[in-house]
Coordinates of all heavy atoms in Angstrom, one line a residue:
M1 N 5.7 14.1 20.9 CA 5.0 14.6 19.8 C 4.3 15.9 20.2 O 3.7 16.0 21.2 CB 4.0 13.5 19.3 CG 3.0 14.0 18.3 SD 1.7 12.7 17.8 CE 2.6 11.2 17.6
S2 N 4.4 16.8 19.3 CA 3.8 18.1 19.6 C 2.3 18.1 19.4 O 1.7 17.2 18.8 CB 4.4 19.2 18.7 OG 3.9 19.1 17.4
Q3 N 1.6 19.0 20.0 CA 0.1 19.1 19.9 C -0.2 19.3 18.4 O -1.2 18.8 17.9 CB -0.4 20.3 20.7 CG -0.5 20.0 22.2 CD -1.5 18.9 22.5 OE1 -2.5 18.7 21.8 NE2 -1.3 18.2 23.6
E4 N 0.6 20.1 17.7 CA 0.3 20.3 16.3 C 0.4 19.0 15.5 O -0.4 18.7 14.6 CB 1.3 21.3 15.7 CG 1.1 21.7 14.3 CD 2.0 22.8 13.8 OE1 2.1 23.9 14.5 OE2 2.7 22.5 12.8
E5 N 1.5 18.2 15.7 CA 1.6 16.9 15.1 C 0.4 16.0 15.4 O -0.1 15.3 14.5 CB 2.9 16.2 15.5 CG 4.1 16.8 14.9 CD 5.4 16.1 15.4 OE1 5.5 16.0 16.6 OE2 6.2 15.7 14.6
R6 N 0.1 15.9 16.6 CA -1.0 15.1 17.1 C -2.3 15.5 16.3 O -3.1 14.6 15.8 CB -1.2 15.2 18.6 CG -2.3 14.3 19.1 CD -2.5 14.5 20.6 NE -3.8 13.9 20.9 CZ -4.0 12.8 21.6 NH1 -2.9 12.1 21.9 NH2 -5.2 12.4 21.9
K7 N -2.6 16.8 16.3 CA -3.8 17.2 15.6 C -3.8 16.8 14.1 O -4.8 16.4 13.5 CB -3.9 18.8 15.7 CG -4.3 19.2 17.1 CD -5.7 19.4 17.2 CE -6.0 20.1 18.6 NZ -7.2 19.6 19.2
R8 N -2.6 17.0 13.5 CA -2.4 16.6 12.1 C -2.7 15.1 11.9 O -3.5 14.8 10.9 CB -1.0 17.0 11.6 CG -0.8 16.7 10.1 CD 0.5 17.3 9.6 NE 1.6 17.0 10.4 CZ 2.4 15.9 10.2 NH1 2.1 15.1 9.2 NH2 3.4 15.6 10.9
Y9 N -2.2 14.3 12.7 CA -2.4 12.8 12.6 C -3.9 12.5 12.9 O -4.4 11.6 12.2 CB -1.5 12.1 13.5 CG -0.1 12.0 13.1 CD1 0.9 12.4 14.0 CD2 0.3 11.6 11.8 CE1 2.3 12.4 13.6 CE2 1.6 11.6 11.4 CZ 2.6 12.0 12.3 OH 3.9 12.0 11.9
E10 N -4.5 13.2 13.8 CA -5.9 12.9 14.1 C -6.8 13.3 12.9 O -7.7 12.6 12.5 CB -6.4 13.7 15.3 CG -5.9 13.2 16.6 CD -6.3 14.1 17.8 OE1 -7.0 15.1 17.6 OE2 -5.9 13.8 18.9
H11 N -6.4 14.4 12.3 CA -7.2 14.9 11.1 C -7.0 13.9 9.9 O -7.9 13.5 9.2 CB -6.7 16.3 10.7 CG -7.4 16.8 9.5 ND1 -8.7 17.1 9.4 CD2 -6.9 17.0 8.2 CE1 -9.0 17.5 8.2 NE2 -7.9 17.5 7.4
E12 N -5.7 13.4 9.7 CA -5.4 12.5 8.7 C -6.2 11.2 8.9 O -6.8 10.6 8.0 CB -3.9 12.2 8.6 CG -3.5 11.3 7.4 CD -2.0 11.2 7.4 OE1 -1.3 11.9 8.0 OE2 -1.6 10.3 6.6
W13 N -6.2 10.7 10.1 CA -6.9 9.4 10.4 C -8.4 9.6 10.2 O -9.0 8.7 9.7 CB -6.6 8.9 11.8 CG -7.4 7.7 12.1 CD1 -8.5 7.6 13.0 CD2 -7.3 6.4 11.5 NE1 -9.0 6.4 12.9 CE2 -8.3 5.6 12.0 CE3 -6.4 5.9 10.6 CZ2 -8.4 4.3 11.7 CZ3 -6.6 4.6 10.2 CH2 -7.5 3.8 10.7
A14 N -8.9 10.7 10.6 CA -10.4 11.0 10.4 C -10.7 10.9 8.9 O -11.7 10.3 8.6 CB -10.8 12.3 11.0
K15 N -9.9 11.5 8.1 CA -10.1 11.4 6.6 C -10.0 10.0 6.1 O -10.8 9.6 5.3 CB -9.1 12.3 5.9 CG -9.4 13.8 6.0 CD -8.4 14.7 5.3 CE -7.5 14.1 4.3 NZ -6.5 15.0 3.7
L16 N -9.0 9.2 6.6 CA -8.8 7.9 6.1 C -10.0 6.9 6.6 O -10.4 6.1 5.8 CB -7.5 7.3 6.6 CG -6.3 7.9 5.9 CD1 -5.0 7.4 6.7 CD2 -6.2 7.5 4.5
S17 N -10.4 7.1 7.8 CA -11.3 6.2 8.4 C -12.7 6.3 7.8 O -13.5 5.4 8.0 CB -11.4 6.4 9.9 OG -11.9 7.6 10.2
I18 N -13.1 7.3 7.1 CA -14.4 7.4 6.5 C -14.6 6.6 5.3 O -15.7 6.3 4.8 CB -14.9 8.9 6.2 CG1 -13.9 9.5 5.2 CG2 -14.9 9.7 7.5 CD1 -14.4 10.9 4.7
H19 N -13.5 6.1 4.7 CA -13.5 5.3 3.5 C -13.7 3.8 3.8 O -13.2 3.4 4.9 CB -12.2 5.5 2.7 CG -12.1 6.9 2.1 ND1 -12.7 7.3 1.0 CD2 -11.3 7.9 2.6 CE1 -12.4 8.6 0.8 NE2 -11.6 9.0 1.8
K20 N -14.3 3.1 3.0 CA -14.6 1.7 3.2 C -13.5 0.7 2.7 O -13.6 -0.5 3.0 CB -16.0 1.3 2.6 CG -17.1 2.1 3.3 CD -18.4 1.5 2.9 CE -19.6 2.4 3.3 NZ -19.7 2.5 4.8
E21 N -12.6 1.2 2.0 CA -11.5 0.3 1.4 C -10.7 -0.3 2.6 O -10.5 0.3 3.6 CB -10.5 1.1 0.5 CG -11.1 1.5 -0.8 CD -11.8 2.9 -0.8 OE1 -11.9 3.5 0.3 OE2 -12.4 3.3 -1.8
N22 N -10.3 -1.5 2.4 CA -9.6 -2.3 3.4 C -8.0 -2.1 3.3 O -7.3 -2.5 4.1 CB -9.9 -3.8 3.4 CG -11.3 -4.0 3.8 OD1 -11.8 -3.4 4.7 ND2 -12.0 -4.9 3.1
L23 N -7.6 -1.5 2.2 CA -6.2 -1.5 1.9 C -5.8 0.0 1.7 O -6.5 0.8 1.0 CB -5.9 -2.3 0.6 CG -4.4 -2.3 0.2 CD1 -3.6 -3.0 1.2 CD2 -4.3 -3.1 -1.2
R24 N -4.6 0.3 2.3 CA -4.1 1.7 2.2 C -2.6 1.5 1.7 O -2.0 0.6 2.1 CB -4.2 2.4 3.5 CG -5.6 2.7 3.9 CD -5.6 3.4 5.3 NE -7.0 3.7 5.6 CZ -7.7 2.9 6.4 NH1 -7.1 1.8 7.0 NH2 -8.9 3.1 6.7
V25 N -2.2 2.4 0.9 CA -0.8 2.4 0.4 C -0.1 3.8 0.8 O -0.8 4.8 0.8 CB -0.6 2.1 -1.1 CG1 -1.1 0.7 -1.4 CG2 -1.4 3.1 -1.9
W26 N 1.2 3.7 1.0 CA 1.9 4.9 1.3 C 2.7 5.2 0.0 O 3.6 4.4 -0.4 CB 2.9 4.6 2.4 CG 3.8 5.7 2.8 CD1 5.0 6.0 2.2 CD2 3.6 6.7 3.7 NE1 5.6 7.1 2.7 CE2 4.8 7.6 3.7 CE3 2.6 7.0 4.6 CZ2 4.9 8.6 4.5 CZ3 2.8 8.1 5.5 CH2 3.9 8.9 5.4
E27 N 2.4 6.3 -0.6 CA 3.1 6.8 -1.9 C 3.3 8.3 -1.8 O 2.4 9.0 -1.4 CB 2.3 6.5 -3.1 CG 2.2 5.0 -3.5 CD 1.4 4.8 -4.7 OE1 0.9 5.7 -5.3 OE2 1.4 3.6 -5.1
N28 N 4.5 8.7 -2.1 CA 4.9 10.1 -2.2 C 4.5 10.8 -0.9 O 3.9 11.9 -0.9 CB 4.2 10.8 -3.4 CG 4.6 10.1 -4.7 OD1 5.8 9.8 -4.9 ND2 3.6 10.0 -5.5
Q29 N 4.9 10.2 0.2 CA 4.7 10.8 1.6 C 3.2 11.0 1.9 O 2.9 11.8 2.8 CB 5.4 12.1 1.7 CG 6.9 12.0 1.4 CD 7.6 11.1 2.5 OE1 7.3 11.2 3.7 NE2 8.5 10.3 2.0
N30 N 2.3 10.2 1.2 CA 0.9 10.3 1.5 C 0.3 8.9 1.6 O 0.8 8.0 1.0 CB 0.1 11.1 0.4 CG 0.5 12.5 0.4 OD1 0.3 13.2 1.4 ND2 1.0 13.0 -0.7
I31 N -0.8 8.8 2.3 CA -1.5 7.5 2.5 C -2.8 7.6 1.6 O -3.5 8.6 1.7 CB -1.9 7.2 3.9 CG1 -0.6 7.1 4.8 CG2 -2.7 5.9 4.0 CD1 -0.9 7.0 6.3
Y32 N -3.0 6.6 0.8 CA -4.1 6.5 -0.1 C -4.9 5.3 0.2 O -4.4 4.2 0.4 CB -3.7 6.5 -1.6 CG -2.9 7.8 -2.0 CD1 -1.5 7.7 -2.0 CD2 -3.6 9.0 -2.3 CE1 -0.8 8.8 -2.4 CE2 -2.9 10.1 -2.6 CZ -1.5 10.0 -2.7 OH -0.8 11.1 -3.0
N33 N -6.3 5.4 0.1 CA -7.1 4.2 0.1 C -7.2 3.6 -1.3 O -7.4 4.4 -2.2 CB -8.6 4.6 0.6 CG -8.6 5.0 2.0 OD1 -8.4 4.3 2.9 ND2 -9.0 6.3 2.2
V34 N -7.0 2.3 -1.4 CA -7.1 1.7 -2.7 C -7.9 0.4 -2.7 O -8.2 -0.1 -1.6 CB -5.6 1.3 -3.2 CG1 -4.8 2.6 -3.4 CG2 -4.9 0.4 -2.3
D35 N -8.3 0.0 -3.8 CA -9.1 -1.2 -4.0 C -8.3 -2.5 -3.5 O -7.0 -2.4 -3.7 CB -9.5 -1.4 -5.4 CG -10.4 -2.6 -5.7 OD1 -11.5 -2.6 -5.1 OD2 -9.9 -3.5 -6.4
E36 N -8.9 -3.5 -3.1 CA -8.2 -4.7 -2.7 C -7.4 -5.3 -3.8 O -6.4 -6.0 -3.5 CB -9.2 -5.7 -2.1 CG -9.8 -5.3 -0.8 CD -10.8 -6.3 -0.3 OE1 -11.2 -7.2 -1.0 OE2 -11.3 -6.1 0.8
G37 N -7.7 -5.1 -5.0 CA -7.0 -5.7 -6.1 C -5.8 -4.8 -6.6 O -5.2 -5.1 -7.6
Y38 N -5.5 -3.8 -5.8 CA -4.4 -2.8 -6.2 C -3.1 -3.5 -6.6 O -2.4 -3.1 -7.5 CB -4.2 -1.8 -5.1 CG -3.2 -0.8 -5.3 CD1 -3.6 0.4 -6.1 CD2 -1.9 -0.8 -4.8 CE1 -2.6 1.4 -6.3 CE2 -1.0 0.2 -5.1 CZ -1.4 1.3 -5.8 OH -0.4 2.3 -6.0
Y39 N -2.7 -4.5 -5.8 CA -1.4 -5.1 -6.0 C -1.5 -6.4 -6.9 O -0.5 -7.1 -7.1 CB -0.7 -5.4 -4.7 CG -0.1 -4.2 -4.0 CD1 -0.6 -3.8 -2.8 CD2 1.0 -3.6 -4.6 CE1 -0.1 -2.7 -2.2 CE2 1.5 -2.5 -4.0 CZ 1.0 -2.0 -2.8 OH 1.5 -0.9 -2.2
D40 N -2.6 -6.8 -7.3 CA -2.8 -8.1 -8.0 C -1.9 -8.3 -9.2 O -1.2 -9.3 -9.3 CB -4.3 -8.3 -8.4 CG -5.2 -8.6 -7.3 OD1 -4.7 -8.7 -6.1 OD2 -6.4 -8.7 -7.5
D41 N -1.9 -7.3 -10.1 CA -1.0 -7.4 -11.3 C 0.5 -7.5 -10.9 O 1.2 -8.3 -11.5 CB -1.2 -6.2 -12.2 CG -2.6 -6.3 -12.9 OD1 -3.2 -7.3 -13.0 OD2 -3.0 -5.2 -13.4
Y42 N 0.9 -6.8 -9.9 CA 2.3 -6.8 -9.5 C 2.6 -8.2 -8.9 O 3.7 -8.8 -9.2 CB 2.5 -5.7 -8.4 CG 3.9 -5.8 -7.8 CD1 5.0 -5.4 -8.5 CD2 4.0 -6.4 -6.5 CE1 6.3 -5.5 -7.9 CE2 5.3 -6.5 -5.9 CZ 6.4 -6.1 -6.6 OH 7.6 -6.2 -6.0
I43 N 1.7 -8.8 -8.1 CA 2.0 -10.1 -7.5 C 2.0 -11.1 -8.5 O 2.9 -12.0 -8.5 CB 0.9 -10.4 -6.4 CG1 1.0 -9.4 -5.2 CG2 0.9 -11.8 -6.0 CD1 -0.1 -9.4 -4.3
I44 N 1.1 -11.1 -9.5 CA 1.1 -12.1 -10.5 C 2.3 -12.0 -11.4 O 3.0 -13.0 -11.7 CB -0.2 -12.0 -11.4 CG1 -1.4 -12.4 -10.6 CG2 -0.1 -12.8 -12.7 CD1 -2.8 -12.0 -11.2
H45 N 2.7 -10.8 -11.8 CA 3.9 -10.6 -12.6 C 5.2 -11.1 -11.8 O 6.0 -11.9 -12.4 CB 4.1 -9.1 -12.9 CG 5.3 -8.8 -13.7 ND1 5.5 -9.1 -15.0 CD2 6.5 -8.3 -13.2 CE1 6.7 -8.7 -15.4 NE2 7.3 -8.2 -14.3
T46 N 5.3 -10.8 -10.6 CA 6.4 -11.3 -9.8 C 6.5 -12.8 -9.6 O 7.5 -13.4 -9.8 CB 6.4 -10.6 -8.4 OG1 6.4 -9.2 -8.6 CG2 7.6 -11.0 -7.6
A47 N 5.3 -13.4 -9.4 CA 5.2 -14.8 -9.3 C 5.7 -15.5 -10.6 O 6.4 -16.5 -10.6 CB 3.8 -15.3 -8.9
R48 N 5.2 -15.0 -11.7 CA 5.6 -15.6 -13.0 C 7.1 -15.4 -13.2 O 7.8 -16.4 -13.7 CB 4.9 -14.9 -14.1 CG 3.4 -15.3 -14.2 CD 2.7 -14.7 -15.4 NE 1.3 -15.2 -15.4 CZ 0.3 -14.5 -15.9 NH1 0.5 -13.3 -16.4 NH2 -0.9 -15.0 -15.9
E49 N 7.7 -14.3 -12.9 CA 9.1 -14.1 -13.0 C 9.9 -15.1 -12.1 O 10.9 -15.7 -12.6 CB 9.5 -12.7 -12.6 CG 9.2 -11.7 -13.7 CD 9.7 -10.3 -13.3 OE1 10.1 -10.0 -12.1 OE2 9.8 -9.4 -14.2
L50 N 9.5 -15.3 -10.9 CA 10.1 -16.2 -10.0 C 10.0 -17.7 -10.5 O 11.0 -18.4 -10.5 CB 9.5 -16.2 -8.6 CG 9.8 -14.9 -7.8 CD1 9.0 -14.8 -6.6 CD2 11.3 -14.8 -7.5
H51 N 8.9 -18.0 -11.1 CA 8.7 -19.3 -11.7 C 9.6 -19.6 -12.8 O 10.3 -20.6 -12.9 CB 7.2 -19.5 -12.2 CG 6.9 -20.8 -12.8 ND1 6.8 -21.9 -12.0 CD2 6.7 -21.2 -14.0 CE1 6.6 -23.0 -12.8 NE2 6.5 -22.5 -14.0
V52 N 9.8 -18.6 -13.7 CA 10.7 -18.7 -14.8 C 12.2 -18.8 -14.3 O 12.9 -19.7 -14.8 CB 10.6 -17.5 -15.8 CG1 11.7 -17.5 -16.8 CG2 9.2 -17.5 -16.5
E53 N 12.5 -18.0 -13.3 CA 13.9 -18.1 -12.8 C 14.2 -19.5 -12.2 O 15.2 -20.0 -12.4 CB 14.1 -17.0 -11.7 CG 14.2 -15.6 -12.2 CD 14.3 -14.6 -11.1 OE1 14.7 -15.0 -9.9 OE2 14.1 -13.4 -11.3
R54 N 13.2 -20.0 -11.5 CA 13.4 -21.4 -10.9 C 13.5 -22.4 -11.9 O 14.3 -23.4 -11.8 CB 12.3 -21.7 -9.9 CG 12.4 -20.8 -8.7 CD 11.9 -21.5 -7.5 NE 12.1 -20.6 -6.4 CZ 12.0 -20.9 -5.2 NH1 11.6 -22.1 -4.9 NH2 12.2 -20.1 -4.2
E55 N 12.7 -22.3 -13.0 CA 12.8 -23.3 -14.1 C 14.2 -23.3 -14.7 O 14.7 -24.3 -15.1 CB 11.7 -23.0 -15.1 CG 10.3 -23.6 -14.7 CD 9.3 -23.4 -15.8 OE1 9.5 -22.6 -16.8 OE2 8.3 -24.0 -15.8
M56 N 14.7 -22.1 -14.9 CA 16.0 -21.9 -15.5 C 17.1 -22.5 -14.7 O 18.1 -23.1 -15.2 CB 16.3 -20.4 -15.8 CG 15.4 -19.9 -16.9 SD 15.6 -18.1 -17.2 CE 17.2 -18.1 -18.0
K57 N 17.0 -22.4 -13.3 CA 18.0 -23.0 -12.4 C 17.9 -24.5 -12.5 O 18.9 -25.2 -12.3 CB 17.7 -22.5 -11.0 CG 18.2 -21.1 -10.8 CD 18.0 -20.7 -9.3 CE 18.4 -19.2 -9.2 NZ 18.2 -18.8 -7.8
I58 N 16.7 -25.1 -12.7 CA 16.6 -26.6 -12.7 C 17.2 -27.1 -14.0 O 17.8 -28.2 -14.0 CB 15.1 -26.9 -12.6 CG1 14.6 -26.6 -11.2 CG2 14.8 -28.4 -12.9 CD1 13.1 -26.7 -11.0
L59 N 17.0 -26.4 -15.1 CA 17.5 -26.9 -16.4 C 19.0 -26.7 -16.4 O 19.9 -27.2 -16.6 CB 16.9 -26.1 -17.5 CG 15.4 -26.2 -17.7 CD1 14.9 -25.3 -18.8 CD2 15.0 -27.7 -17.9

């Protein structure tokens, strides 16, 4: 890793570490701090879809 890359990562980590959020996501080649509930709707939607699929297989 070059010195320039290392400095860039150090700077990025310094920016991320000042935030209190516990969850970070990688989107569009960037890391963002997000609320802990960020994925809640997605998880619930996916669980419901899986439940319906399993019910259909049983019937």
Side-chain angles (χ1 to χ4, degrees):
M1 173 182 313
S2 71
Q3 285 293 333
E4 184 177 303
E5 285 176 308
R6 181 183 164 106
K7 291 265 188 215
R8 185 170 48 91
Y9 288 127
E10 286 176 5
H11 178 70
E12 185 176 348
W13 176 250
K15 285 179 14 183
L16 290 170
S17 67
I18 62 172
H19 296 280
K20 297 193 187 293
E21 289 87 1
N22 293 320
L23 181 62
R24 296 179 179 96
V25 295
W26 176 274
E27 288 182 357
N28 301 319
Q29 303 296 316
N30 292 302
I31 299 173
Y32 299 99
N33 291 297
V34 295
D35 183 66
E36 290 175 353
Y38 182 83
Y39 284 114
D40 288 358
D41 290 338
Y42 172 76
I43 292 169
I44 291 168
H45 176 76
T46 302
R48 286 182 177 151
E49 284 184 344
L50 289 171
H51 181 70
V52 168
E53 285 178 20
R54 292 213 175 188
E55 281 185 344
M56 292 175 73
K57 287 182 182 179
I58 293 172
L59 298 176

